[in-house]
């Protein structure tokens, strides 16, 4: 079995046909067909169903392709690792960040990382951990920085706490409830909430329930923090976000905190990666930079 065969298999699976895959790889169709045929002969199974519409993986092909992609990625990482240890700055680092990690930590790590590894491409995915779990496990994502609410991750996943966190109530500058000092005073407010932050709107009701307050009225639900901030800045709807977004709101001059006395806990920020394989030097350097940036964080806004 050759590494080029794993590459060829993945390319055909992604493009759905020999012609498109051959064009992508810069190979002739006969050469690509021969590569797959030899791989099928070696494995003793049919990897693709062939038709006039193209080529589609069989069940065995899907299972092998999943493993093959993981092997190919690990070998690419190994190649990058060797080069980077020899001061050859090539390769890619792929990370996942929550919205809080974007605002609190990313501005402090990009410049020093680029200074140390100027030719290593940085791929950033904005998401929460559950959506990135598979990518962490198969190696397509080097690590994730953000909250982790899932408890059972297994021995293949390593979680390193960075800092505790809390949330703040935010409204537009000059909001009529801006003087309120307790959640009791917000009982009649309407809210805009997002599912893009850990906790999001699912934690708003319990906060009110604990204090015997009527359920909050969530008038607008969003998929991104940007949408949430835009709605809050242009209306009388309030929102609750990780404290790191407060600095962004103040920077724009459009938002301000409503300083309620209650402490609104948020899931802590962690670094999550595979426990079974080390990071490449570039990825490890980036992870170290996130650790250093996190040392300046506090659990108070």
């Amino acid at each position: 079995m050759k590494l080029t065969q794993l590459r060829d298999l993945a390319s055909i699976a992604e493009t759905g046909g020999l012609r498109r895959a051959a064009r992508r790889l810069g190979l002739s169709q006969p050469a690509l067909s021969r590569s797959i045929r030899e791989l099928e002969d070696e494995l003793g199974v049919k990897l693709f169903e062939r038709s006039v519409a193209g080529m589609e993986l069989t069940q065995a092909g899907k299972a092998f392709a999943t493993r093959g992609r993981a092997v190919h990625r690990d070998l690419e990482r190994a190649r990058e690792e060797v080069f980077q240890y020899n001061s050859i700055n090539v390769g890619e680092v792929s990370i996942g960040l929550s919205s809080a990690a974007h605002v609190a930590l990313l501005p402090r790590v990009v410049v020093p990382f680029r200074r140390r590894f100027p030719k290593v491409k940085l791929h950033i995915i904005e998401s929460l951990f559950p959506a990135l779990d598979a990518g962490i496990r198969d190696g397509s994502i080097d690590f994730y920085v953000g909250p982790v609410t899932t408890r059972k991750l297994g021995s293949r996943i390593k979680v390193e706490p960075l800092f505790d966190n809390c949330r703040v109530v935010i409204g537009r500058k000059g909001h009529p409830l801006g003087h309120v000092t307790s959640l009791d005073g917000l009982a009649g407010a309407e809210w805009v909430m997002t599912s893009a932050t850990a906790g999001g709107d699912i934690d708003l009701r319990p906060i009110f329930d604990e204090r015997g307050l009527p359920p909050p009225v969530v008038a607008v639900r969003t998929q991104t923090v940007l949408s949430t901030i835009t709605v809050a800045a242009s209306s009388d709807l309030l929102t609750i976000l990780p404290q790191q977004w407060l600095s962004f709101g103040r920077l724009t001059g459009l938002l301000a905190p409503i300083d309620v006395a209650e402490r609104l806990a948020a899931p802590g920020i962690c670094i999550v990666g595979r426990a079974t394989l080390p990071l490449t030097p570039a990825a490890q350097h980036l992870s170290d930079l996130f650790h250093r940036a996190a040392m300046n964080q506090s659990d108070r806004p």
Side-chain angles (χ1 to χ4, degrees):
M1 188 179 303
K2 304 173 184 176
L3 289 179
T4 53
Q5 291 174 318
L6 298 180
R7 176 205 64 193
D8 297 345
L9 175 75
S11 186
I12 295 173
E14 290 166 7
T15 61
L18 274 177
R19 179 180 298 177
R20 290 184 291 273
R23 189 181 302 119
R24 172 193 285 188
L25 297 172
L27 299 173
S28 68
Q29 291 185 51
L32 194 56
S33 179
R34 182 168 57 253
S35 172
I36 297 301
R37 187 170 60 252
E38 289 174 354
L39 182 58
E40 289 178 324
D41 290 343
E42 180 178 348
L43 294 172
V45 297
K46 194 175 181 180
L47 297 174
F48 287 98
E49 293 289 352
R50 295 155 173 85
S51 69
V52 292
M55 296 174 66
E56 185 176 349
L57 287 168
T58 62
Q59 283 301 110
K62 289 177 182 178
F64 184 79
T66 299
R67 296 282 188 183
R69 279 190 289 265
V71 169
H72 196 266
R73 275 191 294 266
D74 282 342
L75 288 171
E76 279 296 309
R77 289 289 193 271
R79 174 178 170 275
E80 293 171 6
E81 191 170 22
V82 169
F83 282 136
Q84 290 166 15
Y85 273 124
N86 285 279
S87 300
I88 302 174
N89 294 328
V90 298
E92 177 177 301
V93 175
S94 180
I95 61 173
L97 299 180
S98 72
S99 64
H102 265 87
V103 177
L105 305 177
L106 186 59
R108 302 179 186 180
V109 307
V110 172
V111 172
F113 176 76
R114 294 282 300 147
R115 188 183 301 124
R116 173 66 179 82
F117 291 96
K119 295 184 179 179
V120 172
K121 296 178 181 178
L122 180 57
H123 180 210
I124 300 172
I125 305 166
E126 182 178 358
S127 187
L128 293 174
F129 179 75
L132 304 176
D133 190 355
I136 295 288
R137 293 179 188 276
D138 69 20
S140 57
I141 299 173
D142 290 288
F143 60 86
Y144 159 80
V145 184
V148 179
T149 54
T150 304
R151 294 185 178 181
K152 296 181 179 180
L153 298 177
S155 60
R156 294 179 58 199
I157 297 296
K158 177 176 63 175
V159 179
E160 302 174 76
L162 292 181
F163 59 87
D164 294 332
N165 208 11
C166 67
R167 288 171 288 184
V168 291
V169 178
I170 298 176
R172 67 170 175 83
K173 195 170 184 180
H175 195 285
L177 296 176
H179 64 284
V180 170
T181 59
S182 172
L183 284 176
D184 293 6
L186 303 179
E190 292 186 320
W191 299 78
V192 51
M193 298 300 298
T194 177
S195 59
T197 59
D201 55 3
I202 63 171
D203 278 355
L204 189 57
R205 180 186 288 268
I207 290 173
F208 279 68
D209 287 346
E210 287 172 7
R211 292 158 180 82
L213 299 174
V217 178
V218 179
V220 178
R221 298 181 190 273
T222 71
Q223 293 297 314
T224 68
V225 176
L226 179 59
S227 295
T228 301
I229 289 176
T230 301
V231 172
S234 58
S235 71
D236 281 342
L237 272 64
L238 299 178
T239 191
I240 181 172
L241 290 171
Q243 60 167 333
Q244 289 76 26
W245 281 99
L246 186 55
S247 59
F248 179 84
R250 284 173 170 156
L251 181 65
T252 62
L254 299 174
L255 298 168
I258 296 179
D259 295 320
V260 298
E262 295 87 350
R263 187 181 187 280
L264 307 174
I269 303 299
C270 308
I271 285 189
V272 183
R274 284 198 296 179
T276 51
L277 284 175
L279 296 171
T280 64
Q284 184 61 60
H285 181 65
L286 185 60
S287 175
D288 292 343
L289 289 173
F290 273 105
H291 275 90
R292 291 174 204 164
M295 292 175 66
N296 297 319
Q297 290 296 310
S298 167
D299 64 348
R300 295 180 180 273

